Amino acid sequence: MRRTQPALVAREEIERQRERMREIAQMPGRPRTYCIVTYGCQMNEHDSETLAGMLREMGMEPVERREDADFVLFNTCCIRDNAERRALGNVTWLKELKKERPERMIGVCGCMVQRPGMAERLLRQYPFVDIALGTHNLYRFPELMAQALTTRRRVVEVVQDDEGHIPEDLPVCRQSPTHAYITIMYGCNNFCSYCIVPYVRGRERSRSAEAILQEARALKADGVREIMLLGQNVNSYGNDLQDGMTFPQLLRALDETGIDRIRFMTSHPKDLSDELIEVMAGAKHICHALHLPVQSGSDRVLASMNRRYTRAQYLERVRRLRERIPDIALTTDLIVAYPGETEEDFQQTCSLVREVGYDAAFTFIFSPREGTRAASMDGRIDEATATRRIEELIALQKENTRRRLQAMVGSVHRVLVDGASRRDAQQLAGKDEYGITVNFPGEGSLVGKIVPVRIGSAGESTLRGEICEGEIL
Ligand code: SAH
Ligand code: SF4
Ligand code: F3S
């Protein structure tokens, strides 16, 4: 059933937050510098850009090293146990720095804080944390900061707002002048058995197409060349909008804005429509790169994961994509050692990976997340088996990547130049239309330009080349 339009956070509420930011900027004893440490996915990276935008309005300057900051904010992730432990370990480490300078403030926000029971745990076990907030009330950060500064007491606010409200018009401090994230939808309705995201990000809610298009046009006018559309399952964009656009329609409209490059993530295979494939094939600015997480190659495991597609259906989507977009780069996510995964199941994942020949894959060992269905399933796989399986899969994919990159030698790729190469300051680095890093010799004046580069050689995960004849855009 379609709901009415998802609710926006009231304009007055956003205005109130803006007022708080201005007030904080006038406070004499406020922190002067900040450092945000971000864990997790692009959603979190983008949330951190919003938090940085708010901190800028509060009159604070970013610093590189957390040791040098008056305010350190951890934007956390809880997708797997190790992500969570890393964040908590670092928060604990900061406790020591706080002893050195008690006026230093520590904040924790993001998905881990939103997890049921976490707020109580933070209060009990982490008394040196000054501010904690969840995902649904990110826009209230200025209010909480103001409270912490005026009362000099800890402020913890986690709200349960699964339907979720969409905040528009928050300040954003982008990390890059040429690349920008645009959130097109929040939350997830899929409840894959292993996954915590629906519990910490709430239900699916789409931003209005108008707001998204306006943002894209403003970014273009500001010199942005590439946008990355964000959502846990972008293919169901608009399902909750009355008379809203579908994802393919939104993409077509974004393509018409003329922004140079459009990428998006993540697509759920179950609703990757023919219409989307046709739009991707026909558009001028949509990159021929698609992240299409498969998770497993075994039908039995896929059903238990509640992924709602079979191996054959997935392979059919891949066949269709390659038929219509022959040069498409495909990447994926894979989970090994899901509860009850047999050797036969695992071999089916390996054979699917061989069959598709992905350009790259992110591989994970199943991590039980409290409150999800898979966490209480029988058939937990022992660590040694899990490690052996992930290593086998990584080796297999490494060979795929090598083969795919090698096949690109001799062809011309269009590289959006980011800056000097990390390894060699004489070289420039950027990403091609497939999302692969390409290094080549060139002048600093090319940063931010899209340059034709003939690929000369392939490394393990990157390409090398030389500028060649052709238009520099
Ligand atoms: N919405 C995206 C993925 C978000 S999480 C999608 O549906 O594809 C990113 C990846 O983390 C997932 O694709 C999955 O491979 C992995 N992941 C999620 N929960 C996990 C868990 N409990 N254990 C191991 N890997 C997990
Ligand atoms: Fe998690 Fe599945 Fe939603 Fe992705 S689609 S965020 S894996 S529940
Ligand atoms: Fe992690 Fe939250 Fe993203 S759990 S992967 S930061 S949506």
Side-chain angles (χ1 to χ4, degrees):
M1 194 188 72
R2 287 190 166 204
R3 284 198 279 129
T4 50
Q5 209 81 6
L8 294 182
V9 174
R11 191 142 281 287
E12 303 81 68
E13 175 63 31
I14 301 288
E15 209 24 70
R16 183 154 55 241
Q17 299 305 324
R18 288 196 177 271
E19 216 173 285
R20 291 292 169 276
M21 294 187 244
R22 287 191 290 271
E23 282 165 16
I24 294 170
Q26 301 305 318
M27 286 184 191
R30 68 176 168 83
R32 301 276 147 182
T33 54
Y34 73 87
C35 175
I36 304 179
V37 185
T38 310
Y39 301 88
C41 64
Q42 283 88 347
M43 312 268 166
N44 256 19
E45 276 177 36
H46 189 39
D47 283 348
S48 288
E49 292 184 330
T50 305
L51 291 158
M54 294 182 190
L55 287 161
R56 181 187 59 204
E57 305 289 304
M58 296 176 200
M60 296 186 213
E61 296 283 333
V63 288
E64 283 287 321
R65 292 164 13 120
R66 52 194 98 164
E67 294 89 322
D68 302 332
D70 298 339
F71 176 55
V72 185
L73 180 60
F74 290 91
N75 190 5
T76 61
C77 167
C78 58
I79 195 85
R80 285 167 293 273
D81 188 50
N82 54 4
E84 199 166 300
R85 264 187 293 147
R86 241 194 2 251
L88 282 176
N90 276 313
V91 174
T92 311
W93 173 78
L94 260 200
K95 180 177 153 189
E96 298 307 314
L97 285 178
K98 188 156 170 123
K99 277 197 198 133
E100 254 170 54
R101 255 174 59 196
E103 73 280 10
R104 184 196 304 274
M105 290 178 76
I106 300 177
V108 190
C109 65
C111 295
M112 184 187 77
V113 183
Q114 189 68 41
R115 211 151 73 69
M118 204 46 167
E120 293 76 32
R121 190 169 152 202
L122 280 169
L123 282 169
R124 212 175 43 242
Q125 291 179 7
Y126 300 85
F128 46 91
V129 168
D130 301 284
I131 298 186
L133 66 154
T135 55
H136 296 304
N137 55 345
L138 183 105
Y139 65 91
R140 279 181 43 80
F141 172 58
E143 175 78 43
L144 305 179
M145 186 68 163
Q147 273 180 30
L149 288 171
T150 47
T151 64
R152 291 280 158 196
R153 298 177 64 161
R154 12 192 354 220
V155 178
V156 176
E157 186 183 275
V158 179
V159 295
Q160 209 49 44
D161 179 17
D162 274 350
E163 293 297 306
H165 285 75
I166 299 183
E168 291 288 353
D169 298 326
L170 292 173
V172 172
C173 186
R174 272 188 284 115
Q175 268 173 8
S176 155
T178 45
H179 294 64
Y181 292 123
I182 302 184
T183 304
I184 64 164
M185 61 189 302
Y186 297 87
C188 180
N189 288 353
N190 289 317
F191 289 93
C192 301
S193 310
Y194 50 81
C195 185
I196 191 86
V197 171
Y199 301 90
V200 293
R201 290 276 177 172
R203 293 296 66 72
E204 274 177 10
R205 57 224 115 97
S206 307
R207 283 178 72 198
S208 80
E210 205 182 318
I212 296 167
L213 286 165
Q214 206 175 16
E215 186 172 342
R217 287 190 204 104
L219 288 167
K220 180 172 189 277
D222 203 26
V224 166
R225 315 226 42 194
E226 179 172 316
I227 54 173
M228 166 71 95
L229 311 176
L230 297 178
Q232 292 298 347
N233 176 13
V234 290
N235 295 338
S236 53
Y237 171 80
N239 284 352
D240 58 332
L241 297 178
Q242 267 181 343
D243 315 317
M245 285 189 185
T246 62
F247 184 54
Q249 287 164 346
L250 176 70
L251 274 180
R252 200 175 281 134
L254 283 163
D255 193 48
E256 279 163 18
T257 64
I259 201 141
D260 296 283
R261 283 183 174 183
I262 304 170
R263 299 182 197 277
F264 52 89
M265 74 185 306
T266 301
S267 295
H268 196 302
K270 80 175 157 58
D271 34 31
L272 177 81
S273 63
D274 277 337
E275 190 188 355
L276 174 63
I277 299 176
E278 288 314 310
V279 170
M280 278 185 86
K284 274 213 193 77
H285 303 287
I286 301 174
C287 291
H288 286 182
L290 188 68
H291 187 60
L292 197 61
V294 67
Q295 314 299 357
S296 169
S298 151
D299 281 340
R300 213 183 53 80
V301 173
L302 286 172
S304 171
M305 285 177 165
N306 191 31
R307 290 291 288 178
R308 286 176 277 177
Y309 52 82
T310 61
R311 174 193 176 99
Q313 283 164 341
Y314 182 92
L315 288 172
E316 207 296 306
R317 292 290 78 195
V318 169
R319 188 196 60 74
R320 182 79 187 156
L321 278 160
R322 290 228 164 105
E323 178 183 277
R324 296 291 298 126
I325 314 163
D327 64 335
I328 196 162
L330 287 174
T331 54
T332 201
D333 292 344
L334 300 157
I335 296 178
V336 302
Y338 182 79
E341 184 188 69
T342 62
E343 201 52 36
E344 166 67 23
D345 293 323
F346 171 65
Q347 287 309 326
Q348 295 211 348
T349 300
C350 294
S351 81
L352 180 131
V353 166
R354 255 183 238 113
E355 196 169 332
V356 177
Y358 292 105
D359 291 71
F362 299 94
T363 42
F364 308 106
I365 293 178
F366 168 74
S367 168
R369 306 281 65 210
E370 204 183 309
T372 63
R373 276 210 296 132
S376 54
M377 284 179 189
D378 295 336
R380 207 55 78 70
I381 308 297
D382 66 89
E383 216 178 296
T385 307
T387 310
R388 179 184 51 74
R389 286 183 186 166
I390 199 167
E391 281 171 0
E392 190 176 328
L393 207 51
I394 289 170
L396 186 64
Q397 179 49 44
K398 204 167 155 188
E399 183 49 30
N400 274 340
T401 303
R402 197 193 60 76
R403 206 172 324 114
R404 295 284 297 176
L405 292 180
Q406 205 56 46
M408 290 170 172
V409 172
S411 59
V412 175
H413 290 196
R414 309 211 156 265
V415 181
L416 171 51
V417 184
D418 284 329
S421 154
R422 263 189 293 170
R423 293 233 181 107
D424 176 355
Q426 304 304 309
Q427 300 264 328
L428 293 174
K431 289 231 163 82
D432 67 10
E433 53 271 61
Y434 308 109
I436 303 165
T437 299
V438 181
N439 294 300
F440 62 97
E443 302 275 324
S445 60
L446 292 173
V447 173
K449 299 263 191 304
I450 297 176
V451 178
V453 175
R454 186 173 300 281
I455 305 305
S457 65
E460 263 193 20
S461 59
T462 60
L463 295 166
R464 259 174 195 290
E466 308 258 339
I467 301 182
C468 61
E469 286 284 305
E471 211 180 353
I472 293 178
L473 298 168

